[in-house]
Structures are given as C-alpha cells and as structure tokens.
Amino acid sequence: MAVSRRTFLAASVLAGIAGTQLTEGAAFAASPPGDVVGKITVGYQGWFACTGDGAPINGWWHWSNNWGQPPSPGNNAIVSWPDTRDYTRTYQTAYPNLGNGRPATLFSSYDQQTVDTHFRWMRDNGCDTAALQRFNPNGGEGATRDAMAAKVRAAAEANGRKFYIMYDVTNWANMQSETKADWTSKMSAHTASSAYARQNGKPVVCIWGFGFSDDGRPFAPAACLDVINWFKNQGCYVIGGVPTYWRQGINDSRAGFGDVYRAFHMISPWMVGRTGTLDGLDWFHANLTVPDVAECNARGIDYQPCVMPGDLQSGHRRHGDFMWRMFYNVIRAGSHGVYISMFDEYNEGNQIANTAETAAWVPAGSGIRALDEDGTACSADYYLRLTNDGGRMLKGQLPLTAVRPTPPTTGTPPGDGNLARGKATSASSTSQSFVPANAVDGNADTYWESANNAFPQWFQVDLGATATIGRAVLRLPPAAAWQSRTQTLSVQASTNGSAFTTVVAGQGHTFNPATGNTVTITLPSTQARYVRLTFTANTGWPAAQLSELEVYGTTAPGDTQPPTAPANLAVTAKTATSVSLSWSPATDNTAVSGYQVRQSATVAATVTGTTATVSSLTPATSYTFTVVAQDAAGNTSPASNSVTVTTDAAPSTDLARGKPVTASGQTQNYGPANAVDGNADTYWESPNNAFPQWIQVDLGAATAVARLVLKLPPSSAWQTRTQTLSVQAGTTASALTTVVGSQGHTFNPSSGNTVTVTFPQTTARYVRLNVTANTGWPAAQLSALEAYTS
C-alpha cells in the first residue's frame, strides 16, 4: 500500500519499535521517511585547506584570516582546535606547540583521507546525510569547491552515507542565474551517485539564505521564488534554510517572504547564535518550534530544525546538556528530521567532529577552550556519540527523555582506558627530536630519549586530575631492531606536582622484542595526578628511553552497592546568573568518586568535592537543584534533599559604557566614541547621503545581552525622527547574526529621544546597529548605545 503524505513519522516504521515511545508532539510529516525525513543531517563545510596540500586555492583556506600565511595567535580564523590524531597527514602552523609538547598541526579537507575519516565518523555515529555547503563557486574558491564535491561523493559512497548540495547565497549577487547554471553544468552530475540523497524519489537540494534581513542577502521575494520553482521543475526536492522567525516575518526575517518560505518542500530554520542557555532553548521550543511544526503540518511541509552542540569558546555546551536539550525539544515538538549545525564548523565553535579534549591538545597559551572547559572530562568524539544517541531518539530507538543518556567519556579514551594518553608531559632532558610527548601519543614507534651519559633522568606525566591508579605499562618500539635491554627505574606519584612519594622502588625491568618490548608494573592503589619514572641505568643505550607510558586506574569489580544520598544540600551564595551549593558527603562501601549537581532532570555540574557553582543561569528565575553521588563502578546514589532558589535580578549595568567602538564612517568630529561616553549631548553621525551605515561596540567579553537603549540628544532642537535599523550580535566580529530585523524606530523629544530594543537573550561580545534610513537627517545619528543583560 502506498505511504500517505500524512504518515506518522517514527523510525518504528523501519525498526519495528513502537512509535508510542514519542509521548509528546507526534510527528506527522508531509513525506514518508527518506534520506532527510526521519534522518540526521549534518552540515558539512569541507572548506579547510593548507598551503602545500595540492588544492587549487593553495592557501590556509578558512584556517587563518590571511590565507597566504599559516595560522598563528595573530592570524587565526577558528575558535576551536580539532583533535588530529585520526588523520594520516597534517600541516604545520605558526602556533606554539600543543600543551603536551606536540607540534600544532591542522588537517586539510582537500586530502581525501580527511574526508574519508569524517564520513567514517558519520557512519560510526549515526549521521545519515551530509549537506555539503556550496558558496558562490564563480571566484577563486571555485575549483577547490568543485573538487571537494567529488571528494565528498567518494567518501559518502565508500561509507554508506548520503549527501546533497546546499547552496548558501550569502553575498552571491548573481545567485538567481548562477545557481541554475552551476546545477546544470556541474552539480546535477552528482545525482547519478548511489550516495546522492533523495526524498520522495527526488534528488535533494537546499538553498540557504532566502529572506534573511541582512545586507548579505538582499534578494527580492520574486527572484527567490523563481529559483525555488526552477529547482522544483528540475525534479528536485528543495529544502529552505530560512530565518529563525520565518513564520512571523520579523526579527531576522524580512517581511513579505511568506510565499517564498511556503514554496519549499522542507523548512529548516537557522538557530546558531540565537541563544546560549537552556532556558533560552526552552523559550524557542515553546514560542517557535511548536507553532512552526503546527504550521508545517497544516500546509504539508516537512520540518527540519537545527540542533547544535553550542559555541564551545563561549561556554555554552554544558558538557552536552545544551545539545541534548535541543534534541529533546525538537523531537517532542514533532519535528520531521534534524539538521546538525555543524559537523566541522571550527570557525564558530559549533562543531561535533573530534575536538581537543584538554589543554594538552590545544596550542599552549592560545586561550582556545578544550572540551573539558567546564571541568567535566569529555572524549574527543563525545559530540559525535551524543549525536548518535539523539538520532536514535528521533528514530524511536530510544525513549523520549529529557535526561542526557550519553556519558561524556566512555571510560576508555581514546579506546583503552589509558589515563596518560595525550596528557601534558615533562622530562629532565631530551635528546634531539625525541621529545617527552612522544611517550603519550599512542604511537609505539615514536619515543622519548634523555640526554646521553647523564643518569639519573626522569620522565613525568600530568594526568590532568587526581585519580586512583593501580597499573603502569611501559613500552619501547616493537621493531626487532630494538634489541633486548634492561632499564633500572622507580615510580613516584604526587597529587600536587611538588611532593612525590615512591610507590615502586628502583629495580631492573627487561624490555624484550619477543614480548613486544613491553613491561607492566603493578602499583599499590595510589591517589596521583602526577606520575614520574626515574631512570638510573639502561643496558642497551646510555640514556633513558620510553615510547609509551600508559597509566591505568583501579576499579571495584563486582561492586553493585550505590553510595548513600548526600545530605544537607544548601544554597551558600547566588547572583543574577549563578548559584553556589554545598552538601554533606555521601558514603560508599568502596569510595565516592564524585557528585552530580542536577537542575531538575539535567546534570548542571560534575565535581569531586562537596561544593559547586552552577553558572550561565537566567536572572530572576527559580531553579530547583538536587545532588547525587557516584562511585568508581558507576553506581549512583538516591538524590539529596532538593533546594529551590531564585536568582537575583539582573544588574542594570550598561555593558557598552566606555567600551571600544567602531563605525562605517563619521562626519567631522562626531566620532563613534561619543555614543558610549555616557554623555547624551555628544553623538556619532555618519557621512551624509551614504546609507547603509553601521556602528559597533566591543563589550570586551562574551556576555548575555537582551536589551539595547538607543538615544539622541534630549534637546528639543532634535525634532522627532525615525531611523530604520537592524541589530546584529556575535561572539566574534567576523560572524555576526541578526537578532532584530530592520525596522523603523521613532526618536521623540517628548519621550527623551530614547528607543528601547529588546530581543531573546543572546551571548555576544560584539553588537552592531545597521542604519539604512533617517527621516530627520540624511545620515545615521546616535548619542547613546547602551546594552543590558535583561
């Protein structure tokens, strides 16, 4: 029997699992399950290249601001650092070495092995389909982008994944004719691939950017509708990457685009940069996602909302709780598929691809945050694993749950439980290029070697946190050329890096190629963060040598007894955005390994002590917390008593006062600094008759912003005028997002020539006003630009 276009969507159709698991928001898709409906789609940039990789662009494409120079602290275009251990070839940057001493290298998307690795990760983590981003290919990037399409096709075919072309029309002046020409002459050829995504039997194409209210996408509705209908006439299933507020035509959406949006087969609203808090996600769920789904269901349109991990550099991720809340919200609303923003977007910090786990894996002193930035250890592949579980929930293979089921680590990072892998190292000396980091890189063929004829020598690893250790494995390269030798050494441990205790006294340990040149040392159960080996002799070479030091923890086999519940949970302090808690310790038959602070059903913090501070909260909002204890075997206690607390009201502090400010231009001495000096009688004025114009303030650090107060001088000489303007915000100056669409704002001296602009709270460092008209003077004018948290 043919599948109805009003079919209930759940992967139970495919997997034989009862769709009734989805207890909220039954998903009535216009289309049956295909390569995008009922699937996880990941946005794939594929836009990283390096000088010397053979790409036609021959530069550090998207890694640095100046593509002609390697990335460095002063020439950088990314905010997150990739974990590069799975790539066979990487390229040296001008950054300092990583925190573990290894060279700071980056991958090239132009290497087929890189793309193959990415699609293998997709295969292994439930990413069904990749949307290959295609910007204007008619300039200098075109040849490289064309090649990337072929590489993605090959990788998708090899790994059983699907892909489709996603045209991004940003700054593409001739998109109306050139997208059609590009599809006809180049991209349509890829639809012959078995890996090219199809929905309802039609090849999938996405067009991203129609209707956004910013200068980069100024296209009229008629031109946009023409492009959509042309692709539909080519037999394509057309997805629209549309503004967040597409349904109402406000804020980031231009008015008058309703017919354009509703011409798409599938709607995919953009969400990156819209919020960085769990409460913000819930606001969007109630006010946008739920009514969006209802609108699409009523009109027979498929709905594919964004799910994103959160901006790592801005601290949004909350070790996976942010992304899981998005999965939970869009699935319970009845969404028909999910678009992950993005797979490899290291430029905005929203990538799910493998990322540096700790400071040991980012360039020293760079300030780039690793996945453990909030104190919770996360494996490099954590957000891929979390995406896998989110996809299973979408498909009905997991019950709908608000509680994240994915552990941040598997207990075996990156596959064997070795606590020393990739951690920071040091040594008493180094011979030539045989650096200490070689002994924790997971490669038995690389090694550390001390200075010759200078015993004793020592090697040390910082595990990153205090752990209970019970075993060390020492290796030399397994090649037969490394003949049998005995090294005399002792093992010391420390919790602070200065006071060491000998846990295994000095003795000879024989490394024999017949047994893999491996020595295992059993340690007494010891609390340690720093582990040091001190060498006093080596029969095979007059120096200390080590290709791998592996350190393993102890567990309690067969332990099934949970700890007791923590007691006396209490609030010790609070601010507008944080709550501090303390509690009495739990007890356990072995040992309590840590505590989880839970905000309702969500894990808000994980700590080893009996205090915690939960941050990134919303001012003047009620929260309820409990605490549970865990042991090394993974047993979890009952919850503590609950406490309910209301955060303080937001301070009415002008975040912009006295901050650095720039503008598109100025007239005479009416500079942009006048708008943040606190003096309402001084003002900024742009050049005359030269709209559009902009003014931008740097708040100094990423912070929550929800309200702007704009002023002109209060003097009655400043008669009533209306200025047409939009508001953009972002954590980097190069990636601003429209938070309030262009509209007229009237400044009237009877109300102090003051205008207040509000929007959903967003995290931003840079705030920009774009002014396109002024009824009172042929220029943009502003005496005060004030920014507030609420």
Side-chain angles (χ1 to χ4, degrees):
M1 182 177 68
V3 180
S4 165
R5 285 185 59 80
R6 301 297 300 167
T7 301
F8 174 76
L9 169 67
S12 53
V13 174
L14 304 177
I17 298 175
T20 53
Q21 288 180 330
L22 298 180
T23 57
E24 298 186 50
F28 292 93
S31 302
D35 291 339
V36 289
V37 172
K39 296 299 193 296
I40 296 292
T41 298
V42 295
Y44 189 69
Q45 298 284 20
W47 64 5
F48 295 105
C50 308
T51 299
D53 62 2
I57 203 164
N58 192 31
W60 290 90
W61 194 34
H62 289 280
W63 286 126
S64 59
N65 290 318
N66 178 357
W67 296 352
Q69 299 294 326
S72 66
N75 181 34
N76 178 49
I78 61 171
V79 298
S80 289
W81 195 266
D83 182 294
T84 59
R85 284 175 284 184
D86 276 8
Y87 304 116
T88 58
R89 184 161 66 141
T90 56
Y91 299 82
Q92 181 64 52
T93 71
Y95 265 100
N97 285 347
L98 306 184
N100 58 24
R102 297 183 66 175
T105 62
L106 292 167
F107 67 81
S108 168
S109 302
Y110 196 77
D111 286 340
Q112 184 67 55
Q113 188 272 338
T114 295
V115 187
D116 290 342
T117 297
H118 289 168
F119 275 74
R120 172 171 57 81
W121 290 347
M122 294 181 202
R123 179 197 69 201
D124 294 345
N125 292 282
C127 303
D128 303 295
T129 303
L132 175 61
Q133 315 296 290
R134 187 163 177 83
F135 294 80
N136 184 351
N138 296 297
E141 302 178 21
T144 303
R145 291 198 181 279
D146 292 348
M148 286 308 306
K151 294 175 187 293
V152 164
R153 173 177 177 173
E157 291 172 349
N159 287 278
R161 299 300 90 187
K162 301 294 184 179
F163 78 101
Y164 61 82
I165 299 302
M166 186 172 188
Y167 285 108
D168 188 319
V169 299
T170 304
N171 297 318
W172 193 346
N174 298 320
M175 70 84 194
Q176 186 175 2
S177 60
E178 291 178 355
T179 52
K180 301 173 187 177
D182 183 74
W183 178 256
T184 300
S185 64
K186 294 180 180 179
M187 292 300 103
S188 63
H190 292 297
T191 63
S193 170
S194 60
Y196 198 87
R198 291 181 176 271
Q199 183 63 50
N200 305 341
K202 301 177 179 181
V204 176
V205 173
C206 181
I207 304 168
W208 193 95
F210 286 171
F212 281 83
S213 59
D214 59 71
D215 296 338
R217 308 171 189 96
F219 316 109
C224 298
L225 196 57
D226 170 70
V227 172
I228 296 169
N229 288 331
W230 184 86
F231 275 101
K232 291 168 77 172
N233 289 335
Q234 305 305 303
C236 295
Y237 175 94
V238 188
I239 303 173
V242 300
T244 310
Y245 294 88
W246 65 276
R247 182 170 39 82
Q248 304 102 311
I250 60 173
N251 296 338
D252 64 343
S253 172
R254 298 181 190 275
F257 271 75
D259 290 343
V260 173
Y261 301 143
R262 292 168 181 88
F264 288 114
H265 292 114
M266 173 178 269
I267 291 285
S268 186
W270 192 236
M271 268 295 291
V272 172
R274 299 305 188 257
T275 185
T277 67
L278 300 181
D279 290 338
L281 294 178
D282 290 344
W283 185 94
F284 278 102
H285 164 74
N287 293 281
L288 293 184
T289 307
V290 170
D292 278 2
V293 171
E295 168 90 357
C296 287
N297 286 345
R299 293 180 178 271
I301 300 171
D302 299 320
Y303 186 70
Q304 183 199 57
C306 285
V307 167
M308 57 194 181
D311 180 355
L312 176 60
Q313 190 67 6
S314 296
H316 293 168
R317 295 201 174 193
R318 303 175 69 89
H319 48 271
D321 287 344
F322 183 86
M323 188 177 193
W324 192 258
R325 182 68 66 86
M326 292 198 80
F327 270 123
Y328 173 66
N329 281 350
V330 302
I331 293 171
R332 67 180 171 132
S335 301
H336 310 138
V338 166
Y339 181 87
I340 303 295
S341 315
M342 304 277 289
F343 184 86
D344 54 343
E345 182 52 283
Y346 295 97
N347 306 83
E348 294 181 353
N350 282 304
Q351 74 289 340
I352 62 168
N354 285 18
T355 300
E357 299 170 347
T358 68
W361 292 98
V362 300
S366 66
I368 295 176
R369 292 188 179 187
L371 290 180
D372 67 345
E373 51 87 24
D374 68 351
T376 300
C378 301
S379 63
D381 65 347
Y382 174 41
Y383 288 89
L384 289 169
R385 293 188 292 107
L386 195 149
T387 297
N388 191 26
D389 284 342
R392 292 170 63 206
M393 189 164 69
L394 171 72
K395 298 166 188 175
Q397 297 163 1
L398 283 179
L400 182 69
T401 175
V403 179
R404 170 177 49 80
T406 317
T409 63
T410 61
T412 56
D416 57 8
N418 174 15
L419 302 175
R421 176 74 66 86
K423 299 299 172 60
T425 58
S426 56
S428 51
S429 65
T430 297
S431 175
Q432 302 177 52
S433 60
F434 305 117
V435 296
N438 290 346
V440 294
D441 64 0
N443 182 353
D445 292 317
T446 63
Y447 62 96
W448 163 70
E449 183 172 291
S450 73
N452 288 351
N453 301 302
F455 286 116
Q457 296 287 333
W458 58 262
F459 171 92
Q460 179 175 305
V461 61
D462 175 0
L463 303 180
T466 298
T468 304
I469 62 173
R471 180 166 55 100
V473 177
L474 284 59
R475 303 182 191 274
L476 289 180
W482 283 75
Q483 299 176 355
S484 183
R485 66 201 65 202
T486 298
Q487 297 194 78
T488 303
L489 59 93
S490 60
V491 182
Q492 291 86 35
S494 171
T495 58
N496 58 18
S498 58
F500 283 84
T501 300
T502 298
V503 294
V504 175
Q507 55 187 290
H509 296 273
T510 300
F511 296 80
N512 190 323
T515 55
N517 270 337
T518 298
V519 167
T520 297
I521 302 175
T522 300
L523 312 173
S525 182
T526 302
Q527 289 281 300
R529 172 173 173 171
Y530 302 87
V531 178
R532 176 181 288 191
L533 306 181
T534 298
F535 297 79
T536 56
N538 182 349
T539 62
W541 195 258
Q545 297 171 308
L546 191 67
S547 72
E548 285 297 306
L549 169 60
E550 302 169 4
V551 179
Y552 297 89
T554 61
T555 60
D559 177 17
T560 60
Q561 180 176 326
T564 62
N568 303 316
L569 177 63
V571 176
T572 57
K574 63 187 179 78
T575 69
T577 58
S578 67
V579 171
S580 296
L581 304 165
S582 69
W583 56 91
S584 299
T587 60
D588 188 60
N589 63 314
T590 56
V592 173
S593 60
Y595 297 88
Q596 286 185 348
V597 178
R598 296 184 175 180
Q599 174 192 320
S600 298
T602 302
V603 177
T606 302
V607 297
T608 56
T610 57
T611 62
T613 297
V614 181
S615 56
S616 299
L617 302 178
T618 301
T621 301
S622 177
Y623 293 93
T624 299
F625 297 98
T626 57
V627 176
V628 298
Q630 295 180 312
D631 62 20
N635 300 308
T636 299
S637 77
S640 69
N641 60 294
S642 64
V643 293
T644 299
V645 58
T646 299
T647 50
D648 295 338
S652 56
T653 301
D654 175 12
L655 304 173
R657 176 72 64 85
K659 298 299 173 61
V661 63
T662 54
S664 50
Q666 69 182 67
T667 294
Q668 301 174 39
N669 63 338
Y670 303 116
N674 290 344
V676 293
D677 63 1
N679 182 352
D681 292 316
T682 63
Y683 61 96
W684 163 69
E685 184 173 295
S686 74
N688 289 350
N689 301 303
F691 287 116
Q693 296 288 333
W694 56 263
I695 182 171
Q696 177 174 300
V697 61
D698 176 359
L699 303 180
T703 188
V705 182
R707 177 169 56 98
L708 302 182
V709 176
L710 313 178
K711 298 179 181 179
L712 289 179
S715 168
S716 59
W718 284 74
Q719 298 175 356
T720 298
R721 65 201 64 203
T722 298
Q723 297 194 73
T724 303
L725 56 90
S726 61
V727 181
Q728 291 180 299
T731 56
T732 63
S734 60
L736 299 179
T737 299
T738 299
V739 295
V740 178
S742 182
Q743 54 189 290
H745 296 274
T746 300
F747 296 79
N748 192 320
S750 66
S751 55
N753 268 338
T754 298
V755 166
T756 298
V757 182
T758 60
F759 43 89
Q761 189 177 77
T762 187
T763 299
R765 173 174 175 172
Y766 300 89
V767 176
R768 174 181 287 197
L769 301 183
N770 298 294
V771 185
T772 57
N774 183 349
T775 62
W777 195 258
Q781 299 171 309
L782 199 65
S783 70
L785 166 54
E786 301 173 0
Y788 297 92
T789 298
S790 65

